[in-house]
Amino acid sequence: MKRFEPIAKGVSGILHGGDYNPEQWLKWKDGIWKEDLRIAKEAGLNSLSVGIFSWAMLEPEEGRFCFDWLDEVMDGLHKNGLTAVLATPSGARPAWLAQKYPEVLRVRADGHRNAFGGRHNHCLSSQVYRAKVKIINTELARRYGKHPALGLWHISNEYSGECHCPLCQAVFREYLRAKYGSLEALNEAWWSAFWSHRYTDFAQIEAPSPRGENDTHGLTLDWKRFTTEQTVDFYLHEIGPLKACAPQIPCTTNLMAGYTGLDYARLAEVLDVVSWDNYPQWTGSSEKDEQIALETGYFHDLMYGLKKKPFLLMESSPSATNWRPVAKLHRPGVHILQSLQAIAHGADSVQYFQMRKGRGGSEKFHGAVIDHVGHENTRVFGEIKKFGREILPQLDHIVGAPKPAKVALVHDYVNGWAIEGMRGALQGETGYTKTLMAHYGAFWRQGVPVEIIDQGASLEGYALVVAPMSYMLREGFADRVKAYVEGGGRFVTSYFSGYVNDTDLCFLGGFPGPLKEVLGIWAEELDALYPGDENAICWNGKQYRAFELCELIHAQGAEALGSYAGDFYAGRPALTAMTLGKGKAYYIAARTGADFLDDFYQSLLGELKLPAYPGGGGLSVQIRAHEKGETLFVINFGAQERLFKLDGEEIPVEAHGFALIERKS
Ligand code: GLA
Ligand code: ZN
């Protein structure tokens, strides 16, 4: 197998760096800038990210550019063998721009325009903003597109939020006109006869807001889809000049773990590489940290799945995260585990926020490579250096290596929006992500790699596809599931699946709608339980807790494997299996705890004979498949030593320790 290509130009190993803001230290540059470079090398960094919020320093007045300082920074990086991740500065705009052109500022859902301040406070539809972004991006691309330090473009920062200004409302109406063609089609898709909401003119349509219409589900979904499309369009606008001057340099924008305001699966289509910012809330308590490790693993896999390719860990804190309600320090060793975990799940970089703590500003107490004391003799630096100098050099062969996953977990942003907006069951607290993480946990504990995909992705090549709470079935998904099962795949879904179509209209003729035949069931009613109330599922001679959501289903072709123990639906099916073609489709009718999910998935994994590396007690095993074989990342997030069993051997992994195991192919 050929060695995989590294993502950023100029770095052959895992990218190791972080957000660097030398412009905050212009006056001290003779001392501080030199120290920054020296300390970066001392830590084993090979890259730094610059220019992320530098617009006011690059264009201090409209049309007057000041690149001298950035020239010096870029040259300094190059001379010191460091690769530059260079940002476009659109994440925050200069005061002069907002003052002269107020239309660039964002309008909130309450109809008020924001004042200058903060960041991410701009309108993506404003032609003025777009023109100004194009100018500064073109200047950057012309000046640095061929600079030998340049390895990667970092577009803006954490695209997020929405704007309700008249310009955005107008573009939204155009989006709807193009999507539906006619008001009649739109009215039908949005079920607008309800509460007399029929639109007779596109001009009557406003973005959903608390001061107006907030509960027409088709409208809300289309607004979210539109916000994603505007962001995609803005991103393409941003990269235009960069690609023109430097087509060889990849582009990314940094995403956020649990952010659901954008359909990242759509945004990822236009990124050369996915990157994201990871700030797990480690507690220092072993039990809680095991759960945090699982959730963080889930988010890494979510990011990997967006392109089914290695990604970059664009930001992480080497210690405290200042915006958390409790900015607890990372305990000794946590930095290394957190960083290795990212690589284990498919990251080709470990990057920090931030290189040096600022003297002022709201992030002056956020963890950093260099603290206010100014030198490198700190505990945190010691951990970064250990990671950079001792551990990373062992991982050069991992760069670009994929993860060999045979299990797919379906997470769909649009389905998540529909679940969040639905009125009924548990009123928007229906717990989509929580449920996905619960199912994910059963594989995480077994050391079985999982790829997280959306409903639009191909199902080919997976031995098992798990799609809990597929409330909305997007166009084409049910057909793909059917073909997959008929072709020999195993498919698992759960209660609350197959209720609505793309525009949130209920399927008629019985749930789970177009999946009824594949699953061989009819879900007649959905029971929501009060907190503390419980039912149980009897399966395989055992009884498992069922709570929160219990669906009353009929087996219509499927075999009932398990049944309810209590309430007026005692004895009715709670777990079914349908044989279709060469495959099988399972339905779990109620929400259960990890006990049931562990047992159920272990029995399936056993039948499928998929390789598993069970850890337990906070021991996580992830795999990357490279040119010479596989690397097993065995990471112990627990406070006890664990024995990892491999081919009859027992390998001790100390508390908060790890083992990297090479297996030849
Ligand atoms: C985000 C941002 C950074 C910084 C960090 C702090 O991820 O992208 O600019 O604010 O948070 O944790
Ligand atoms: Zn706007």
Side-chain angles (χ1 to χ4, degrees):
M1 206 192 287
K2 192 173 139 285
R3 192 177 192 285
F4 299 99
E5 275 294 299
I7 293 165
K9 300 288 161 214
V11 177
S12 58
I14 300 277
L15 198 72
H16 189 207
D19 282 27
Y20 176 43
N21 304 108
E23 71 273 29
Q24 293 177 15
W25 302 91
L26 259 183
K27 277 198 184 156
W28 291 267
K29 74 183 175 65
D30 290 337
I32 294 231
W33 286 16
K34 285 200 185 78
E35 274 297 272
D36 289 337
L37 295 172
R38 183 187 67 76
I39 296 176
K41 286 193 294 181
E42 183 64 19
L45 303 191
N46 54 24
S47 132
L48 284 169
S49 309
V50 290
I52 300 170
F53 295 109
S54 307
W55 199 339
M57 303 297 272
L58 292 172
E59 191 180 358
E61 285 167 34
E62 187 170 11
R64 183 168 72 79
F65 298 97
C66 182
F67 286 110
D68 299 0
W69 68 268
L70 189 52
D71 290 349
E72 206 176 320
V73 170
M74 292 289 284
D75 293 348
L77 292 175
H78 180 58
K79 272 193 210 114
N80 286 277
L82 296 160
T83 286
V85 175
L86 180 57
T88 64
S90 67
R93 72 232 42 78
W96 59 256
L97 180 53
Q99 183 184 34
K100 184 162 176 195
Y101 308 102
E103 72 161 58
V104 304
L105 294 171
R106 200 166 274 190
V107 170
R108 299 190 301 267
D110 65 9
H112 292 290
R113 193 178 292 280
N114 286 340
F116 170 72
R119 54 179 175 172
H120 308 142
N121 178 13
H122 49 267
C123 169
L124 296 182
S125 306
S126 159
Q127 290 306 324
V128 174
Y129 198 58
R130 286 184 174 229
K132 293 297 175 193
V133 166
K134 187 170 180 189
I135 292 168
I136 187 75
N137 287 10
T138 305
E139 292 287 334
L140 283 169
R142 284 199 188 129
R143 202 160 180 107
Y144 303 112
K146 304 261 167 358
H147 194 287
L150 182 63
L152 182 77
W153 290 109
H154 178 302
I155 310 304
S156 201
N157 189 71
E158 294 187 339
Y159 280 128
S160 51
E162 48 189 53
C163 174
H164 289 244
C165 81
L167 299 170
C168 287
Q169 305 276 6
V171 191
F172 178 45
R173 290 178 197 122
E174 285 317 306
Y175 167 85
L176 294 173
R177 205 189 287 272
K179 176 170 181 177
Y180 291 105
S182 70
L183 275 172
E184 203 186 321
L186 176 144
N187 278 315
E188 199 170 308
W190 290 1
W191 204 251
S192 63
F194 179 72
W195 286 355
S196 229
H197 277 24
R198 264 193 113 64
Y199 295 102
T200 52
D201 183 348
F202 275 97
Q204 294 156 354
I205 301 172
E206 297 270 347
S209 78
R211 72 198 159 93
E213 180 48 44
N214 221 5
D215 242 345
T216 295
H217 295 163
L219 163 68
T220 306
L221 286 172
D222 278 335
W223 171 251
K224 286 176 184 284
R225 287 189 179 106
F226 162 76
T227 301
T228 297
E229 288 307 323
Q230 273 297 82
T231 306
V232 165
D233 190 59
F234 194 83
Y235 174 87
L236 293 173
H237 175 79
E238 286 224 44
I239 65 169
L242 315 182
K243 290 289 182 194
C245 291
Q248 77 287 7
I249 304 294
C251 297
T252 188
T253 186
N254 49 340
L255 310 180
M256 295 172 272
Y259 185 68
T260 56
L262 294 170
D263 177 357
Y264 278 163
R266 166 73 183 113
L267 181 57
E269 287 173 15
V270 294
L271 308 182
D272 293 325
V273 54
V274 165
S275 67
W276 80 288
D277 303 339
N278 177 34
Y279 294 99
Q281 207 168 356
W282 303 112
T283 63
S285 128
S286 184
E287 213 172 283
K288 286 189 190 149
D289 284 354
E290 284 169 30
Q291 178 62 22
I292 288 170
L294 184 160
E295 292 174 7
T296 307
Y298 170 90
F299 286 127
H300 283 306
D301 285 346
L302 181 67
M303 294 296 141
Y304 183 95
L306 291 175
K307 282 187 111 56
K308 298 189 185 180
K309 268 190 191 156
F311 58 90
L312 298 173
L313 179 68
M314 189 57 88
E315 293 177 21
S316 60
S317 176
S319 190
T321 298
N322 78 305
W323 48 266
R324 291 280 189 202
V326 176
K328 196 171 176 104
L329 298 180
H330 284 179
R331 293 3 239 171
V334 166
H335 172 67
I336 288 173
L337 294 198
Q338 166 182 291
S339 304
L340 262 184
Q341 186 189 23
I343 299 172
H345 283 266
D348 274 3
S349 78
V350 171
Q351 293 158 275
Y352 309 122
F353 184 88
Q354 51 193 332
M355 174 62 185
R356 182 185 278 275
K357 285 185 182 174
R359 225 185 144 183
S362 65
E363 296 188 318
K364 59 181 174 293
F365 296 121
H366 193 290
V369 179
I370 309 174
D371 213 321
H372 293 120
V373 69
H375 58 62
E376 69 270 40
N377 304 317
T378 61
R379 180 185 70 89
V380 171
F381 182 87
E383 298 234 350
I384 295 168
K385 180 173 170 180
K386 184 169 177 209
F387 180 70
R389 293 281 188 118
E390 293 171 27
I391 299 170
L392 272 185
Q394 302 171 40
L395 294 173
D396 279 1
H397 62 296
I398 296 296
V399 172
K403 296 193 307 173
K406 298 301 278 176
V407 176
L409 178 70
V410 180
H411 162 270
D412 193 276
Y413 284 93
V414 184
N415 176 42
W417 296 340
I419 290 174
E420 210 178 292
M422 72 88 70
R423 301 279 167 261
L426 300 174
Q427 297 296 340
E429 300 291 328
T430 316
Y432 182 47
T433 300
K434 181 179 90 175
T435 303
L436 290 169
M437 283 178 172
H439 286 251
Y440 176 84
F443 299 97
W444 192 79
R445 285 184 284 274
Q446 284 301 306
V448 172
V450 171
E451 208 150 79
I452 302 182
I453 58 174
D454 89 330
Q455 286 189 9
S458 157
L459 304 180
E460 266 170 51
Y462 297 114
L464 175 63
V465 173
V466 179
M469 294 180 72
S470 298
Y471 169 72
M472 169 185 281
L473 297 179
R474 285 171 46 199
E475 196 66 44
F477 180 58
D479 291 342
R480 272 195 297 285
V481 170
K482 184 163 183 264
Y484 166 76
V485 175
E486 282 173 345
R490 303 282 179 121
F491 178 73
V492 180
T493 188
S494 75
Y495 57 90
F496 217 49
S497 288
Y499 279 56
V500 300
N501 72 3
D502 275 281
T503 61
D504 222 323
L505 297 183
C506 289
F507 292 118
L508 303 178
F511 302 142
L515 282 179
K516 255 176 85 187
E517 278 72 44
V518 180
L519 291 157
I521 61 146
W522 166 38
E524 185 182 349
E525 291 178 273
L526 175 66
D527 197 13
L529 274 56
Y530 288 109
D533 284 358
E534 281 189 9
N535 201 326
I537 294 185
C538 309
W539 172 63
N540 226 2
K542 270 172 95 175
Q543 200 157 307
Y544 301 88
R545 253 162 31 88
F547 49 91
E548 293 181 345
L549 294 168
C550 296
E551 217 170 42
L552 282 56
I553 65 170
H554 303 267
Q556 295 185 337
E559 182 191 349
L561 304 177
S563 58
Y564 283 110
D567 219 319
F568 71 94
Y569 38 97
R572 285 184 52 178
L575 174 68
T576 59
M578 173 75 181
T579 304
L580 187 74
K582 295 191 217 139
K584 262 190 178 179
Y586 299 84
Y587 199 81
I588 305 170
R591 182 164 289 167
T592 68
D595 55 347
F596 171 80
L597 296 174
D598 280 345
D599 287 356
F600 174 68
Y601 285 118
Q602 269 181 50
S603 81
L604 271 188
L605 290 170
E607 276 177 40
L608 291 167
K609 299 194 174 54
L610 289 184
Y613 301 97
L619 195 75
S620 153
V621 184
Q622 299 293 327
I623 306 165
R624 290 191 67 176
H626 50 78
E627 53 186 340
K628 296 193 188 91
E630 289 183 340
T631 302
L632 264 52
F633 291 76
V634 185
I635 306 180
N636 187 357
F637 292 96
Q640 313 279 318
E641 182 184 281
R642 295 272 160 195
L643 291 176
F644 174 58
K645 296 188 192 72
L646 185 67
D647 306 333
E649 230 190 290
E650 288 198 328
I651 302 159
V653 187
E654 64 188 46
H656 303 127
F658 65 91
L660 300 173
I661 301 169
E662 292 298 333
R663 313 240 293 165
K664 297 224 156 40
S665 47

